[in-house]
Amino acid sequence: MTMDTFVPKPSRKPPMSTVGPLAWVRANLFNSTTSALTTLLFFYLLWLYIPPFIDWAFLSANWTGTDRSVCEANPAGACWTFINVRLEQILFGLYFGANPDEVWRPIVGFLLFFSLLIPLLIEGMPHKKWIALAMLTVFPVVFYALIHGEWIGQPIANTSQWGGFLLTFVLAFVGILLALPLGILLALGRRSEMPVIRTMCVLYIEFWRGTPLITILFMASVMLPLFFPAGMEFDKVVRAMIGITMFQSAYTAEAIRGGLSAIPKGQYEAAAALGLGYWRRTVFIILPQALKISIPGIVNTFIALFKDTSLVSIIGLLDLLNMAQSAARSIEWKGYDIEGYLFTGLIFWMFCYGMSRYSQVIERKLDTNRRDN
Amino acid sequence: MSSSPSESKIQAGEPIIRIQGLNKWYGQFHVLKEIDLEVAKGERIVICGPSGSGKSTLIRCINRLESHQEGSIVVDGIELTEDTKHINDVRREVGMVFQHFNLFPHLTVLENCTLAPIWVRKTAKREAEEVAMRFLERVKIPEQANKYPGQLSGGQQQRVAIARSLCMNPRVMLFDEPTSALDPEMIAEVLDVMVGLADEGMTMLCVTHEMGFARKVADRVIFMDGGEIIEQNAPEEFFNQPKNERTKLFLSQILQH
Ligand SMILES: Nc1ncnc2c1ncn2[C@@H]1O[C@H](COP(=O)(O)OP(=O)(O)O)[C@@H](O)[C@H]1O
Ligand SMILES: [Mg+2]
């Protein structure tokens, strides 16, 4: 008796006409009349607007000088001289703008921040846990010491004089840092089996989510002092931080709740069946999985917060945007608002885009993990 | 075998599980009706019955993944009540294997096996890992110890799940249809492990429709329908001379093919 033997067919390459850049252009840009017209219109608009902008912003722009006379002599170009001269003020606020000798303090602070941040973003970096811990504990203290100055025996920069990007950063960082643990507890509480805890968390979350940040900031500045003894001076920046943290923790909680509800019931059951109690189940099994899933959502709330910090102008604080605006309204630089807005827009964009890219990378990583499963 | 940190609280000859007058409802739905069941130490019990008859609910009551409203369940001398301390005391003595494995996907196979011994039994990490490796060898996948569950086949995952339970050195093992989510070619490797476990004298309650397994290892087969225990007997009698009409019908349905 003879047996048939199975001979697998060899795998072939796909046909030539479907691969390569030319095929891509044909398939994606000119695959129909509508698509061809849209493509042409798009390139026409680019050609119409981009060259003049490049000319204004770069080729004809004014970069040097110390006052507006340079820019007035060449009105066809952007006046980056303004940004250049007022850079310290826009980035670090009025105090450091007026005391150039002290500018090293925020610079060292931010260098420290980025030297901790970059290793955290690199895949496969060893000791990530410790770096993250340093970022969350040591860094804020050192940063405060540097900026405020008193603890390191330097001239004092009161929080009321903090401004510009420095203030934006401080508000966002503190808001994110405090909102994360609060948000985790709120999200867990919202799924608690104990009705009192659950109701309290729901009320908290829905109250802060239903109130605009601008109202909260206003209340924090006007109403918070009413709860404390008369005469007790309450730092404006601290008030803003409290308001932002309350607000942000509600959004973080909702992002984490999404992650929690994505964890299959079997995970809770398997952990319970092994004899792990509530907190051990939560810490070792549920949260690591839920937080991973929630990262994109959490980062989205971070991005929103980062941009929303500009609302602190309502209580008289000058963040990056408001500082640039006020600099552009000074007598020396009146009329150069566009440059100020473009510059702040660029900084906001860089940070928000960075965060969004990071969350996309994480999302893709999660996706591939899931596909491996 | 690693030593058990606590000694059994029951006297010789006393059942390790005693269920009396158990009733359970889901809302208005009476899912378990007047269940009485005693399981002796070392006894191997197979539970079968049509889908929805309450088999899962019954064994999930034994480690209180489900709470009951009436009757008493005493496991290893501990009565199951609202008391979370008692519940966790019982759970550490009772291992459970689920239909869908329920391994922890973010932990390696080894970490899956050592987590509970380290945090519940307070075993030292080194020792917990040694014990885990021993059980992984027994379920024949020591080489997968550092992989993640997602990288294993269904049969391998279920064997890890069994090893994970065994690492807690339980007195009783509960199985809820451990092979029904597996591709046919993987069922045997899981059943082999379970037969080995039965041969070593582990007390087992196993919900399964693998009748070959039941014939081979069970001391007693229990048939459930509509939330009640309809019939129970030694496998020979159970399969050859079922007493109840419904048992007959059920057996004819599953043995037809
Ligand atoms: N959490 C629940 N809520 C309401 N009904 C449930 C729940 N779990 C199971 N049931 C019902 O209880 C009955 C018994 O379920 P189960 O014990 O899972 O049956 P089996 O394992 O024998 O297939 C089924 O009718 C099922 O629909
Ligand atoms: Mg079932």
Side-chain angles (χ1 to χ4, degrees):
Chain A
M1 204 174 85
T2 60
M3 291 267 265
D4 287 344
T5 324
F6 169 65
V7 184
K9 293 192 180 68
S11 304
R12 289 193 299 127
K13 287 216 170 79
M16 250 334 265
S17 60
T18 61
V19 291
L22 250 161
W24 185 89
V25 167
R26 202 177 318 127
N28 291 286
L29 301 182
F30 296 97
N31 55 335
S32 70
T33 326
T34 336
S35 130
L37 282 176
T38 325
T39 305
L40 289 175
L41 181 69
F42 174 70
F43 281 108
Y44 174 69
L45 288 175
L46 281 187
W47 178 78
L48 205 60
Y49 288 106
I50 297 297
F53 176 78
I54 291 184
D55 182 56
W56 174 81
F58 300 103
L59 302 180
S60 310
N62 306 291
W63 304 88
T64 53
T66 50
D67 59 49
R68 57 187 299 136
S69 60
V70 190
C71 299
E72 275 166 354
N74 173 28
C79 184
W80 300 125
T81 312
F82 157 52
I83 303 295
N84 207 355
V85 170
R86 291 299 184 95
L87 190 64
E88 285 84 1
Q89 180 196 343
I90 295 174
L91 288 183
F92 306 133
L94 291 174
Y95 177 85
F96 294 103
N99 297 284
D101 286 350
E102 304 298 330
V103 166
W104 65 269
R105 280 154 51 184
I107 290 179
V108 170
F110 280 111
L111 283 180
L112 182 63
F113 173 72
F114 286 110
S115 61
L116 288 171
L117 181 70
I118 290 165
L120 282 179
L121 301 181
I122 295 174
E123 183 128 357
M125 187 78 187
H127 310 303
K128 257 192 189 182
K129 266 182 205 155
W130 295 109
I131 301 173
L133 194 68
M135 181 69 122
L136 300 181
T137 55
V138 182
F139 168 72
V141 178
V142 174
F143 193 81
Y144 175 81
L146 274 167
I147 304 298
H148 188 262
E150 188 178 2
W151 297 348
I152 54 169
Q154 296 291 324
I156 294 175
N158 271 317
T159 53
S160 59
Q161 293 169 294
W162 295 9
F165 178 72
L166 172 67
L167 182 65
T168 300
F169 172 82
V170 167
L171 290 175
F173 188 86
V174 171
I176 289 167
L177 186 72
L178 299 182
L180 200 56
L182 257 177
I184 291 175
L185 289 178
L186 284 167
L188 290 173
R190 192 167 188 165
R191 295 171 59 89
S192 164
E193 282 168 11
M194 286 177 267
V196 178
I197 292 184
R198 193 171 56 231
T199 311
M200 272 169 35
C201 291
V202 170
L203 286 178
Y204 179 100
I205 292 171
E206 295 308 332
F207 174 80
W208 293 107
R209 283 213 313 160
T211 317
L213 181 58
I214 201 159
T215 316
I216 294 169
L217 289 171
F218 199 62
M219 286 196 319
S221 108
V222 177
M223 288 175 57
L224 211 56
L226 301 181
F227 295 112
F228 291 92
M232 186 173 154
E233 200 41 51
F234 219 126
D235 195 303
K236 247 194 217 170
V237 174
V238 173
R239 273 185 246 169
M241 279 176 185
I242 295 175
I244 286 175
T245 304
M246 301 285 180
F247 178 80
Q248 182 65 10
S249 59
Y251 279 91
T252 310
E254 283 303 279
I256 293 170
R257 185 166 73 118
L260 285 174
S261 56
I263 307 298
K265 210 167 134 241
Q267 292 290 305
Y268 293 87
E269 290 179 351
L274 286 167
L276 293 159
Y278 176 81
W279 286 109
R280 289 192 183 132
R281 283 201 296 273
T282 305
V283 170
F284 295 125
I285 307 301
I286 306 304
L287 276 182
Q289 298 185 62
L291 287 179
K292 230 185 202 172
I293 303 174
S294 335
I295 286 177
I298 296 175
V299 173
N300 278 343
T301 70
F302 287 177
I303 293 175
L305 170 70
F306 191 72
K307 293 186 290 188
D308 278 354
T309 50
S310 290
L311 296 174
V312 293
S313 66
I314 193 83
I315 58 173
L317 293 172
L318 297 178
D319 81 312
L320 174 60
L321 175 65
N322 297 297
M323 191 56 88
Q325 195 177 42
S326 92
R329 291 187 179 161
S330 62
I331 311 161
E332 297 95 315
W333 296 103
K334 213 162 174 45
Y336 292 111
D337 301 61
I338 294 182
E339 284 83 348
Y341 289 138
L342 273 176
F343 179 69
T344 49
L346 183 70
I347 294 186
F348 271 115
W349 181 82
M350 275 180 355
F351 277 84
C352 293
Y353 183 71
M355 286 194 263
S356 130
R357 286 293 311 176
Y358 177 68
S359 101
Q360 278 172 21
V361 169
I362 298 266
E363 227 166 317
R364 207 164 313 133
K365 218 167 89 185
L366 289 176
D367 252 15
T368 47
N369 282 356
R370 219 164 290 146
R371 228 171 295 133
D372 290 345
N373 281 356
Chain B
M1 278 273 203
S2 71
S3 65
S4 183
S6 64
E7 272 313 302
S8 183
K9 287 157 205 74
I10 55 170
Q11 308 289 318
E14 231 184 294
I16 191 159
I17 298 172
R18 171 180 280 151
I19 299 173
Q20 283 174 320
L22 173 66
N23 281 282
K24 176 173 172 62
W25 289 262
Y26 283 123
Q28 294 296 312
F29 177 56
H30 199 168
V31 57
L32 292 178
K33 299 174 182 164
E34 289 300 324
I35 303 280
D36 292 304
L37 177 65
E38 290 193 350
V39 181
K41 204 160 178 296
E43 200 177 8
R44 276 97 36 153
I45 293 181
V46 162
I47 303 172
C48 60
S51 170
S53 56
K55 308 179 297 291
S56 299
T57 309
L58 172 61
I59 68 165
R60 288 158 61 86
C61 280
I62 294 173
N63 64 354
R64 203 150 167 119
L65 286 183
E66 302 288 348
S67 58
H68 59 276
Q69 287 89 2
E70 272 181 28
S72 76
I73 303 177
V74 180
V75 181
D76 198 30
I78 306 166
E79 165 140 30
L80 280 169
T81 57
E82 293 289 327
D83 191 334
T84 31
K85 172 147 192 332
H86 285 181
I87 294 172
N88 283 331
D89 284 348
V90 167
R91 282 176 179 168
R92 72 179 67 180
E93 306 302 338
V94 177
M96 184 161 204
V97 175
F98 300 85
Q99 182 175 357
H100 295 287
F101 332 135
N102 298 351
L103 294 177
F104 307 129
H106 62 300
L107 301 178
T108 64
V109 164
L110 190 64
E111 288 165 342
N112 263 276
C113 292
T114 56
L115 183 81
I118 291 173
W119 290 99
V120 179
R121 290 265 192 234
K122 314 281 181 216
T123 315
K125 189 171 175 223
R126 277 275 302 280
E127 193 192 330
E129 284 177 351
E130 276 166 25
V131 172
M133 283 313 295
R134 219 165 329 134
F135 282 114
L136 287 174
E137 262 155 44
R138 223 171 81 186
V139 300
K140 304 198 183 64
I141 33 175
E143 72 283 0
Q144 314 284 3
N146 293 313
K147 288 200 183 158
Y148 285 89
Q151 299 167 297
L152 307 186
S153 74
Q156 291 173 323
Q157 290 193 47
Q158 193 61 299
R159 285 185 281 151
V160 172
I162 295 174
R164 176 176 70 178
S165 286
L166 293 178
C167 285
M168 283 294 282
N169 198 7
R171 295 185 209 288
V172 179
M173 285 287 286
L174 308 174
F175 294 84
D176 191 358
E177 306 205 28
T179 55
S180 52
L182 295 177
D183 292 336
E185 75 267 23
M186 295 171 185
I187 292 178
E189 65 190 48
V190 172
L191 288 180
D192 279 350
V193 170
M194 291 168 62
V195 170
L197 206 55
D199 289 343
E200 281 168 31
M202 174 66 79
T203 311
M204 294 166 69
L205 273 90
C206 188
V207 176
T208 182
H209 292 148
E210 294 295 334
M211 290 305 144
F213 172 80
R215 278 179 198 275
K216 197 160 164 191
V217 308
D219 297 309
R220 190 161 30 134
V221 182
I222 291 178
F223 174 68
M224 284 183 75
D225 195 8
E228 293 179 63
I229 294 182
I230 305 283
E231 183 168 348
Q232 46 182 317
N233 220 328
E236 272 311 299
E237 286 77 27
F238 182 86
F239 290 112
N240 297 338
Q241 300 129 29
K243 294 193 209 82
N244 195 291
E245 275 307 313
R246 272 192 274 181
T247 319
K248 257 182 219 160
L249 181 65
F250 176 75
L251 286 175
S252 72
Q253 278 164 346
I254 61 165
L255 297 176
Q256 233 168 34
H257 303 284

